[in-house]
Amino acid sequence: MYIRQLKVERKLSIAASQQALGGQAKAKPKVKAKAKTKAKKSLKSPKGKVAAAAWSQSHAGPHSVYAHSKPRVAAVKESAKVQRPRRVREEKDGSQYKILQQTIQSNLECFLFLQQPEKAERLLLLYHSSPAKRKLLNVNAYNIVMRSWARKGCLQRINRLFSMLESVGLRPSLDSYAAALECMGRSQSSTKAIWRCVQQLKNDGFHVDELFQKCLFEEDEKEKVLRAIRIVQPNYQLPPPPNPQTCKSSLLQDFYSKEKLVSYPKLDFSVQELQERFQQQLELELDSTVTIESVESTKPVTPQAIKARKLLATLRSRWHDSILQALQKSKHNMSQLKTVSGYNILYPYLCLLPDEEYVGIMLQILNTFSPQGESLAVLARELGSKVYNRYITQRKLRSRQLEKVQEVYEDYIHLLAKDSQPDEYLPREYWEKLVAEAGFGPSLNLKDCSWPYMLLMRLGMHMLELLVQAVKVPRNILNPRLEHKLIPVLYHIYSFRSSWQVGLIKPHPIFSQIVSDAAETLLTFNSSAIPMLCPPVPWTSPHFGAFVLNDTRLMRFVDGAIQHQLLLEQCPPVNLHPVLDALNQLGNCAWKINQPVLDIIISIFNDKGNEKLDIPPPISEAPRPPAAPSNSSTWNKSQKQEVLLYKKKTAEMHSLRMDALYKLSIANYVRDKVFWFPHNMDFRGRTYPCPPYFNHLGNDVTRAILLFAEGRPLGPKGLDWLKIHLINLTGLKKKSALQERLEYANEIMEEILDSADHPLTGRKWWMNTDEPWQALACCMEIAKASRSPDPAAYISHFPVHQDGSCNGLQHYAALGRDLIGASSVNLMPCNVPQDVYSAVAQQVEEFRKKDAEQGVKVAQVLQGFVSRKVVKQTVMTVVYGVTRYGGRLQIEKRLKEIDEFPEEYLWEASHYLVKQVFNSIKEMFSATRDIQNWLTDSAKLIAQSGRTVEWVTPLGLPIVQPYYRSSSTVLNCGMQNLSVKNSSSNQKPDTVKQKNAFPPNFIHSLDSTHMMLTALHCLRRGLTFVSVHDCYWTHALTVDVMNQICRQQFVALHSEKILQDLSEFMLEKYCRYSSPVGKPPPLSFPPTPIPLPGVVVPRCSRVVSSAWGLLWREAVLPS
């Protein structure tokens, strides 16, 4: 079924781009063969395939793309034949229907961009003239062609399109009338014609004002529409912008109250400085990529490296010419098809950018290959996505949207600059005000022009095929004694993943050797991978915010999934204001680099690394491969296993080393700059920085080299907070009160100062802590502060963290008013902090002792090995839905780290311990299990009825779980067939994932809500605030204030009727309607486990002001 589905899509997509109905060949049959156990391809194969090594596919992203079960046999390139279109399925809600509809519209958008209205209309007519294919057209398709002709001022063509709309029973939309009026404004049509158009618009139930309130315009379209209207209504004025709406959430009444507004905090930059930074960022994004020096560039260059670099430069010059020639030949062949048998679907997509840009994209991909090879599917997706992103950039330039952004941003920075007047607007509000005042010009949101995922993959595969075919190297380039013969640089091979064959592209060892010898010191990144050099554009809608040019989603979701975007678009804009404002607050935090720490890390990185300090060593430090017979056919099983383990270890080392290289190189690139991290969120509302490599969500190394750009004096308690923060980073004194931690820090001041002064030559106390690099950075800050004349006046840029005590269990305990559980996670007053991990470990140890006394062997073996560290990860993730199987793997990993533990008992001991951990949690958190069961049972009922689980967070963010039964679609390409596994909202929900994921996802959404509430209220109090989920950062001066806000907002959140509101939402959505034909019947949910009011929350309110208390381990320091 799925193969047939793709055939229909492929054939209609090709037909969709035909310019004439030429001779059509019969569709060739496809056979899905079972996966074989071996894939044998000789080097003499025309496609240059070699025998596959048994390494696993590295894939990234939400779609799992595998090679089709068998290498393609007697397959013809899709440009060679045009197959007869078949009748399209009539169900308009089918995923195939939507893919085809999106493909047609993206093709039409290409012709619009290329200013080829004739071709756009010919494509439209091809569908319009066929009753079967006409069902794929909606009014948007006709509107795109209307816009093409409107730019040419061809009113006759637009009138014809209106007649075509009427003939198929489609009603013109506002965009239809906007195109017609634009055309009339350009061609200076008669008053009578414009009057008729305006009357027809009104007869269809629209109002002229709606043209300017709801339509999106590019270039000068808005002005032309206005010119036409003023011909018949000379005094017509643009409608005033709608009055700003205020969020009515009970949690944010004070925040949005006009009586309590305060000025937005200023940055330490003038208007001119911010304008200069904006220009730097704009240039960076216009270039699409950024090339920076690697931190390895400090190493001396050897004569061998100089020779290899010259050789590589010569080869790249040749490859550039070869790829350019191959691309131009491919495009020429495609264009010639117009007169023979049709029009290749990819041709317009290969014309959107200059040829040089396509070649640059392919060479950039070539430079990133690892010796182990890369997943063919991932490479294809990356190539297709790069073309799409550059096309979007060109559209923004062509539409003059960028000009509008520049104009608005130049005024926007007055809100942030230190030399401008204070203003009480939020960034979102100020930006919206400026846009409304600008009036004319293009819209800041582009009309939707997204490409179908299958199209992205097909385009990427075509470019990958060109790359593999065009890039060659002389066989004797490193060994002159060999025959001079050109051989491919890249080979298409197969590996195995379970029973599936996985396509890989692997570089020839000659290429890998040259690259290794060259030891190049330049790295190229997409501009979106680098932190911003100016404050981010504020989020004002789900479509607009973050980078200046780079397209960024407000909500991250899998490619092809549209349900999240639809929910956001249907949500009243005012309901999204709290989420948008919180993201803007996080993104507006300015950062700088801790240069002394960065320099120490780079020195160790370039000196063979240090695994204990989480600095990955280079590949040269990998263990030597096992000695084996020269003939691989004589290897025994253990020898083969050793080789596989060696390859796996080498691949892991390469991956870790490159990850560290990217992070450190980007940090070094911005070492003298101030920079920003724009934020977006996942479907649960959890926030993330957009730059993927280097950000504050990274590991210990990354966090240690980040400082706030803004400095604040330590104040009377700031130095004490730095010391407490240091002890928290060591992992020591977890059960001690704050005062005890402070006293301990004062006792070891000699060690702290020695670490700061002699980090690599002293006693190295900092190296033996849980977070060594952050501990070292903190030691240095404490040393500078304590040696200053007045520590209270010392200006500190150092972030101090306040980490949650098993945050998920805190939310469950508060939801269930669970007293015992609440005490163990610091929701109740106590003289010393409670540690739930230690409590569970203690409970498990008691169970173990009883079993050991009764002669249980594994319990006896575990004596002395049950510790907080062993159980911590499992306790932490139980709340997020970890299963016993997953928990066992976690515990097994911890036991493996203990050298003294007998290896033969790993499985049995981990199986025993995970059972005891689950039993302990069940005893301590009784209400938690009831709530989890209720959420799980409810989600199961919803999914079994054929619907997805949805809810709305207390801040008004709509959420839907994106778990569907995946379907495979076979993508027929020249190199190999790809079976693309994708999930879409047209598939049935995955019941198991829907029910298992609901409890953790719901808790994550509450966790995110609490963080956003804290961020917004910290903004009103003038605090610098960022978060790593449940770990909150601020200056040492403001830790006490942040602690108070965070507790107040937790109490406020859980004073809401969260479970009751969720229950009412689900009853309203899934139960209270009569069941129409074709829709699932109403559901009957289990009773809601709503706790009695007043059990925990009132006591929590009193805890806020106590020395220990609600939520965070680090409460308020005693005076």
Side-chain angles (χ1 to χ4, degrees):
M1 175 182 173
Y2 299 127
I3 298 174
R4 181 180 177 279
Q5 173 182 325
L6 179 81
K7 286 163 68 178
V8 175
E9 185 260 345
R10 175 173 173 265
K11 287 183 271 184
L12 286 180
S13 297
I14 295 174
S17 298
Q18 287 181 341
Q19 292 198 343
L21 286 170
Q24 295 174 348
K26 288 185 179 180
K28 66 181 179 65
K30 295 191 186 83
V31 180
K32 185 172 181 179
K34 292 183 179 179
K36 296 182 179 181
T37 56
K38 291 184 180 179
K40 296 182 180 178
K41 290 283 171 182
S42 69
L43 284 171
K44 297 179 182 178
S45 165
K47 299 206 182 289
K49 296 170 186 172
V50 297
W55 54 70
S56 40
Q57 176 200 30
S58 63
H59 63 83
H63 280 264
S64 301
V65 189
Y66 301 99
H68 193 258
S69 55
K70 186 176 180 180
R72 189 174 168 198
V73 179
V76 184
K77 286 186 182 288
E78 61 185 3
S79 60
K81 287 188 179 181
V82 176
Q83 300 163 335
R84 178 176 293 121
R86 293 188 183 180
R87 184 180 179 83
V88 182
R89 229 172 52 175
E90 294 190 9
E91 300 85 54
K92 291 198 174 184
D93 58 347
S95 59
Q96 174 190 336
Y97 177 91
K98 290 187 177 180
I99 289 173
L100 293 178
Q101 200 171 64
Q102 194 180 10
T103 302
I104 295 166
Q105 291 183 26
S106 61
N107 285 343
L108 292 171
E109 286 280 1
C110 281
F111 292 129
L112 172 64
F113 180 80
L114 294 169
Q115 300 179 1
Q116 297 173 343
E118 299 87 355
K119 294 179 181 178
E121 186 171 312
R122 196 173 297 130
L123 170 58
L124 185 74
L125 284 172
L126 177 68
Y127 279 87
H128 177 84
S129 59
S130 167
K133 292 182 285 186
R134 190 182 300 152
K135 296 182 175 66
L136 289 167
L137 298 178
N138 60 15
V139 68
N140 292 335
Y142 292 87
N143 289 344
I144 294 169
V145 183
M146 287 185 196
R147 289 172 59 211
S148 297
W149 286 120
R151 292 180 183 179
K152 300 283 186 180
C154 297
L155 185 59
Q156 186 179 355
R157 299 276 195 165
I158 292 178
N159 287 335
R160 182 186 175 196
L161 289 164
F162 266 84
S163 300
M164 290 166 61
L165 272 177
E166 185 180 351
S167 70
V168 296
L170 289 175
R171 178 172 172 250
S173 67
L174 271 173
D175 285 326
S176 310
Y177 288 108
L181 289 167
E182 177 203 341
C183 184
M184 292 174 178
R186 288 188 194 283
S187 58
Q188 297 183 343
S189 298
S190 66
T191 303
K192 187 177 180 181
I194 298 172
W195 183 85
R196 274 202 311 265
C197 182
V198 172
Q199 284 303 119
Q200 188 177 338
L201 176 148
K202 292 177 179 177
N203 293 340
D204 276 340
F206 301 119
H207 192 279
V208 172
D209 285 352
E210 291 180 281
L211 290 168
F212 303 101
Q213 291 167 337
K214 297 180 179 179
C215 292
L216 299 176
F217 296 104
E218 297 182 8
E219 300 181 55
D220 60 347
E221 293 172 353
K222 190 174 188 178
E223 286 77 3
K224 299 304 179 188
V225 172
L226 185 62
R227 176 196 286 181
I229 290 171
R230 282 180 173 167
I231 290 175
V232 295
Q233 298 180 29
N235 297 322
Y236 179 80
Q237 297 297 320
L238 288 175
N243 291 326
Q245 292 181 289
T246 303
C247 176
K248 301 298 183 185
S249 170
S250 59
L251 292 167
L252 290 167
Q253 283 180 349
D254 288 346
F255 180 79
Y256 287 111
S257 170
K258 298 300 180 187
E259 290 77 30
K260 298 185 179 180
L261 290 181
V262 295
S263 298
Y264 194 78
K266 299 289 186 180
L267 297 171
D268 191 26
F269 295 102
S270 66
V271 169
Q272 184 178 349
E273 287 172 328
L274 288 176
Q275 286 175 344
E276 290 170 357
R277 289 172 177 276
F278 173 76
Q279 288 303 321
Q280 292 172 14
Q281 178 65 28
L282 179 58
E283 290 170 14
L284 187 143
E285 292 189 44
L286 282 170
D287 290 339
S288 297
T289 59
V290 185
T291 300
I292 66 176
E293 282 281 349
S294 156
V295 292
E296 292 181 321
S297 62
T298 56
K299 293 181 179 179
V301 182
T302 63
Q304 181 187 25
I306 294 172
K307 182 180 177 183
R309 289 179 189 181
K310 287 181 180 177
L311 177 59
L312 206 50
T314 303
L315 289 172
R316 282 179 179 146
S317 177
R318 292 179 194 165
W319 294 338
H320 172 279
D321 296 341
S322 299
I323 297 170
L324 180 61
Q325 186 177 356
L327 174 66
Q328 291 172 343
K329 181 180 178 183
S330 170
K331 287 173 64 176
H332 176 75
N333 292 339
M334 289 178 181
S335 65
Q336 293 304 304
L337 283 174
K338 289 187 288 186
T339 58
V340 183
S341 58
Y343 192 87
N344 189 283
I345 184 177
L346 294 181
Y347 182 67
Y349 297 93
L350 291 170
C351 298
L352 295 172
L353 307 174
D355 289 348
E356 287 287 345
E357 285 212 40
Y358 292 98
V359 175
I361 288 170
M362 288 186 264
L363 284 173
Q364 185 186 347
I365 291 292
L366 179 63
N367 292 336
T368 63
F369 272 96
S370 72
Q372 289 76 30
E374 302 289 346
S375 159
L376 179 142
V378 171
L379 290 169
R381 180 171 60 242
E382 192 172 349
L383 283 164
S385 297
K386 284 179 180 293
V387 174
Y388 174 75
N389 290 335
R390 295 199 187 189
Y391 160 64
I392 292 297
T393 298
Q394 290 303 314
R395 274 199 61 183
K396 289 180 178 180
L397 289 168
R398 177 87 62 83
S399 69
R400 289 175 39 209
Q401 186 242 32
L402 177 59
E403 289 180 31
K404 182 80 167 279
V405 171
Q406 281 183 278
E407 291 172 13
V408 176
Y409 196 94
E410 284 179 5
D411 291 330
Y412 167 71
I413 55 180
H414 286 84
L415 178 70
L416 309 174
K418 65 182 179 182
D419 57 345
S420 57
Q421 291 297 317
D423 223 321
E424 295 177 347
Y425 289 97
L426 293 168
R428 171 189 53 79
E429 295 170 338
Y430 197 62
W431 187 277
E432 289 172 343
K433 170 181 174 287
L434 294 172
V435 171
E437 290 171 354
F440 291 102
S443 307
L444 290 183
N445 293 331
L446 290 179
K447 290 178 185 290
D448 179 53
C449 56
S450 55
W451 294 351
Y453 180 73
M454 300 300 288
L455 178 61
L456 275 177
M457 291 296 294
R458 184 175 284 122
L459 175 62
M461 282 293 293
H462 180 74
M463 293 173 69
L464 196 55
E465 287 168 9
L466 291 178
L467 188 64
V468 170
Q469 292 165 10
V471 179
K472 299 183 185 298
V473 65
R475 185 180 171 212
N476 65 343
I477 197 164
L478 295 181
N479 187 352
R481 291 175 295 178
L482 296 175
E483 175 190 0
H484 179 81
K485 178 183 177 183
L486 290 177
I487 58 173
V489 169
L490 302 175
Y491 289 86
H492 175 215
I493 65 174
Y494 289 93
S495 185
F496 283 88
R497 189 186 188 97
S498 184
S499 60
W500 288 90
Q501 283 187 331
V502 178
L504 300 176
I505 301 295
K506 186 176 181 182
H508 194 283
I510 289 176
F511 173 72
S512 298
Q513 185 63 51
I514 296 172
V515 171
S516 176
D517 291 344
E520 290 185 300
T521 59
L522 292 179
L523 298 171
T524 300
F525 297 97
N526 291 334
S527 56
S528 57
I530 305 295
M532 290 188 69
L533 304 180
C534 68
V537 175
W539 285 105
T540 55
S541 75
H543 307 279
F544 186 81
F547 290 98
V548 178
L549 265 177
N550 292 319
D551 220 27
T552 312
R553 292 169 171 168
L554 173 67
M555 187 173 279
R556 304 175 177 204
F557 45 80
V558 298
D559 290 322
I562 59 171
Q563 59 273 31
H564 299 96
Q565 195 65 29
L566 291 176
L567 266 185
L568 291 173
E569 288 170 0
Q570 293 162 7
C571 180
V574 67
N575 289 3
L576 295 178
H577 286 176
V579 172
L580 300 178
D581 292 336
L583 288 170
N584 293 335
Q585 168 64 359
L586 297 172
N588 275 347
C589 176
W591 300 86
K592 69 175 186 175
I593 294 297
N594 189 334
Q595 295 187 17
V597 177
L598 175 62
D599 290 337
I600 295 170
I601 293 171
I602 291 174
S603 69
I604 294 177
F605 180 85
N606 285 331
D607 186 27
K608 300 183 179 180
N610 186 320
E611 288 190 272
K612 182 188 172 186
L613 295 176
D614 206 16
I615 310 285
I619 296 294
S620 59
E621 298 301 302
R624 294 194 174 278
S630 56
N631 185 358
S632 61
S633 61
T634 63
W635 290 4
N636 59 37
K637 187 176 181 180
S638 64
Q639 287 173 324
K640 290 179 180 178
Q641 186 68 21
E642 281 184 36
V643 170
L644 287 177
L645 289 174
Y646 165 74
K647 287 183 176 180
K648 182 181 178 183
K649 176 67 175 175
T650 304
E652 286 175 356
M653 288 183 67
H654 176 80
S655 177
L656 291 171
R657 180 74 176 180
M658 293 306 295
D659 179 63
L661 177 67
Y662 289 172
K663 289 175 179 175
L664 294 177
S665 297
I666 293 173
N668 199 48
Y669 172 71
V670 295
R671 65 181 294 135
D672 298 314
K673 300 178 174 72
V674 172
F675 51 90
W676 288 260
F677 296 121
H679 281 61
N680 63 358
M681 59 187 173
D682 65 15
F683 73 91
R684 302 162 301 187
R686 295 199 109 188
T687 59
Y688 300 86
C690 297
Y693 302 114
F694 174 66
N695 58 62
H696 59 286
L697 261 67
N699 59 6
D700 174 47
V701 173
T702 312
R703 296 184 190 189
I705 54 183
L706 281 168
L707 296 171
F708 292 137
E710 180 189 7
R712 296 201 178 185
L714 286 179
K717 294 184 181 179
L719 182 56
D720 289 347
W721 273 118
L722 284 175
K723 293 175 180 178
I724 292 170
H725 177 55
L726 173 62
I727 302 307
N728 293 340
L729 292 169
T730 66
L732 306 169
K733 305 294 179 182
K734 289 181 181 290
K735 296 182 182 180
S736 303
L738 290 184
Q739 192 60 39
E740 292 176 31
R741 299 185 200 189
L742 179 57
E743 290 168 0
Y744 178 70
N746 289 327
E747 290 172 11
I748 61 168
M749 273 300 289
E750 189 178 336
E751 297 287 356
I752 294 171
L753 296 176
D754 177 74
S755 295
D757 297 338
H758 312 288
L760 300 181
T761 57
R763 295 191 290 273
K764 305 176 186 177
W765 169 85
W766 64 276
M767 290 188 181
N768 298 312
T769 59
D770 282 1
E771 309 284 355
W773 290 107
Q774 291 177 81
L776 175 61
C778 198
C779 287
M780 292 180 170
E781 187 74 1
I782 291 170
K784 285 187 271 188
S786 61
R787 289 166 177 166
S788 67
D790 180 8
Y794 173 78
I795 303 299
S796 174
H797 298 260
F798 200 85
V800 175
H801 310 171
Q802 302 285 274
D803 202 355
S805 303
C806 200
N807 194 235
L809 283 174
Q810 288 180 325
H811 283 290
Y812 267 124
L815 282 173
R817 311 300 196 251
D818 197 329
L819 291 174
I820 298 175
S823 297
S824 67
V825 288
N826 296 308
L827 289 187
M828 300 294 289
C830 194
N831 293 327
V832 293
Q834 300 301 298
D835 181 40
V836 66
Y837 310 117
S838 298
V840 171
Q842 186 177 343
Q843 182 89 353
V844 170
E845 176 61 14
E846 290 178 10
F847 291 153
R848 186 207 64 78
K849 282 180 181 176
K850 289 179 183 177
D851 290 341
E853 289 169 1
Q854 295 174 8
V856 178
K857 179 65 176 174
V858 68
Q860 295 170 346
V861 170
L862 278 165
Q863 183 175 354
F865 294 111
V866 177
S867 65
R868 179 186 188 275
K869 186 175 181 181
V870 168
V871 303
K872 178 180 177 179
Q873 188 180 10
T874 306
V875 175
M876 190 188 305
T877 51
V878 158
V879 68
Y880 297 128
V882 74
T883 60
R884 294 204 176 199
Y885 174 78
R888 190 200 70 76
L889 293 177
Q890 291 170 346
I891 291 174
E892 181 182 67
K893 190 175 180 181
R894 298 286 84 80
L895 291 174
K896 274 183 180 178
E897 294 169 357
I898 305 173
D899 295 334
E900 298 80 17
F901 190 81
E903 191 174 339
E904 63 272 18
Y905 283 97
L906 276 174
W907 190 93
E908 191 178 355
S910 58
H911 188 272
Y912 171 83
L913 283 180
V914 76
K915 178 182 174 184
Q916 303 304 344
V917 168
F918 274 63
N919 289 340
S920 299
I921 293 174
K922 193 172 181 180
E923 280 193 18
M924 295 172 64
F925 294 87
S926 54
T928 294
R929 187 57 65 183
D930 292 338
I931 296 171
Q932 278 186 322
N933 291 339
W934 177 72
L935 293 171
T936 302
D937 293 344
S938 299
K940 182 179 179 182
L941 283 171
I942 293 168
Q944 286 176 339
S945 75
R947 286 167 284 183
T948 50
V949 178
E950 295 182 28
W951 70 98
V952 178
T953 71
L955 279 186
L957 178 68
I959 292 176
V960 56
Q961 293 196 142
Y963 309 121
Y964 299 90
R965 297 180 191 173
S966 61
S967 62
S968 297
T969 306
V970 178
L971 184 60
N972 196 353
C973 299
M975 194 177 291
Q976 70 169 61
N977 289 347
L978 286 177
S979 181
V980 182
K981 288 190 175 181
N982 62 345
S983 303
S984 84
S985 54
N986 301 296
Q987 305 294 331
K988 290 183 178 179
D990 186 318
T991 304
V992 174
K993 285 185 178 179
Q994 287 283 344
K995 75 180 183 70
N996 288 343
F998 186 29
N1001 285 341
F1002 182 69
I1003 294 300
H1004 277 308
S1005 72
L1006 290 183
D1007 181 29
S1008 165
T1009 299
H1010 175 238
M1011 185 280 295
M1012 290 183 179
L1013 285 170
T1014 305
L1016 292 174
H1017 285 86
C1018 283
L1019 164 62
R1020 282 293 185 235
R1021 300 282 291 273
L1023 274 66
T1024 299
F1025 174 90
V1026 291
S1027 80
V1028 181
H1029 303 315
D1030 67 337
C1031 179
Y1032 299 171
W1033 299 15
T1034 191
H1035 288 93
L1037 172 69
T1038 53
V1039 171
D1040 288 327
V1041 181
M1042 187 188 73
N1043 276 332
Q1044 182 187 34
I1045 293 171
C1046 130
R1047 287 160 176 72
Q1048 289 171 344
Q1049 296 314 308
F1050 188 88
V1051 172
L1053 174 62
H1054 283 283
S1055 296
E1056 299 284 301
K1057 300 175 294 182
I1058 295 175
L1059 292 181
Q1060 187 175 331
D1061 290 345
L1062 174 63
S1063 175
E1064 290 173 1
F1065 173 84
M1066 291 196 297
L1067 288 170
E1068 182 68 32
K1069 182 167 185 65
Y1070 300 106
C1071 301
R1072 292 176 184 167
Y1073 63 87
S1074 57
S1075 180
V1077 178
K1079 286 199 173 183
L1083 301 179
S1084 176
F1085 287 105
T1088 313
I1090 299 176
L1092 294 173
V1095 177
V1096 168
V1097 168
R1099 296 191 66 184
C1100 288
S1101 301
R1102 292 198 297 273
V1103 174
V1104 171
S1105 60
S1106 69
W1108 270 104
L1110 172 68
L1111 190 61
W1112 257 237
R1113 285 197 220 95
E1114 295 79 17
V1116 182
L1117 269 173
S1119 300

